[in-house]
Amino acid sequence: KHSSLTTLITPINNNWRSRKIKSRVLQVSAFSYQKFIHFALNETKRQTVLVPSPLQENFSPMTAMDGRTELKLLSFQSPKIRLLRSLSVENEAMQVLDFAVFARPEFDVPIFCANFFTTASMNIIVLDLNPLHNVIVQSDYKEKYYKSLLPLGLKYAELFPWGGKLTSESLQFFSPIVIWTKFTSTQYRHDTLYSAFVDYYKAWLKLIEHAPEDKDASQIICNQEAQHKYLTWRAEKDPGHGILKRLIGESLAKDVVRNFLFNGINELGSKGFLDYFPEYCCEDGNINKKRSIIGKSFENRPWDAKGEFLGNNIKIY
Ligand code: BLA
């Protein structure tokens, strides 16, 4: 069903009628993120044993309330990976990939993060190895993981221009090699995005392959809390929640967000959103519904070629 573009283009059957049908399929639903997911799973399996996580059974493929949007949820674990999970949402008009990998707390490696939102008119793209610890404040952490990756980041920063202003608070979760971009679909751009995904994923796999296990209990707790803060941010403020709610209803969307996408939020820590982000506290004690308190900023890429943060006039940490 999810034939790749190449299989659709290859004239398997020269019968005119069949070609006509195939070309119509190509028009409406040629683009799919399934090949990204297949690549990542196969590449991970070359390095480690991926075990399907029990979560996967709770959230098997779903069809949205509209009857034509397919949601696919996959999740795995391995000796070093706490959670590798993927959500894809596809119909004729929209293709979404939310793919993330979280290491076990004994490893301080970054979080692999690919968030791609595609419609006929627009692509909204975030691809990054999100730092577990704040790289703006902790330069040793930045040196440790990103120094050697800067050439990779620079290559794709040239191919994918910065996407413009965004939620300022998000910057504390991004690395100097983040790809934040928007573009209208072309085959070239989708192919380039695929190579970026492949390169970033291979880079992430190398990091985890060589990461030494932290033995120090306080360091492990620190990693765990950092991951919990990240999960808490995204479970509350991720821009995709509205669409998920529309597709599968509020309560199932909440379940998917808290127990699947950002699984660990109930296990890795007991702090709540306002403990980590007190600036979001309203007078009545509730969480401010706005995504951003500071507002949107960073019209241009706030990292220079050496990976130095240039946005110091805005305090986000
Ligand atoms: C937009 N998604 C965005 C934006 C960012 C991200 C930065 C721009 C808007 C903004 O500044 O907030 C992504 N933000 C992130 C990520 C982190 C973060 C990855 O803080 C990590 C720390 N996106 C999805 C899914 C959907 C989706 C699953 O991942 C839909 C099901 C949609 N993202 C989506 C849409 C927009 C968007 C529709 C544009 C609309 C909007 O800004 O609200």
Side-chain angles (χ1 to χ4, degrees), residues 96 115 117 124 126 166-167 170 173 180 233-234 239-240 243 291:
V96 180
N115 278 75
F117 177 83
I124 300 174
V126 175
L166 77 166
T167 299
S170 289
F173 301 104
W180 151 241
W233 166 256
R234 296 201 55 188
I243 290 174
R291 195 178 306 144

Side-chain angles (χ1 to χ4, degrees), residues 257-275:
V257 165
R258 292 191 64 94
N259 297 319
F260 180 83
L261 291 177
F262 305 112
N263 179 278
I265 199 164
N266 299 323
E267 295 81 20
L268 297 185
S270 53
K271 285 190 183 173
F273 184 83
L274 292 174
D275 297 317

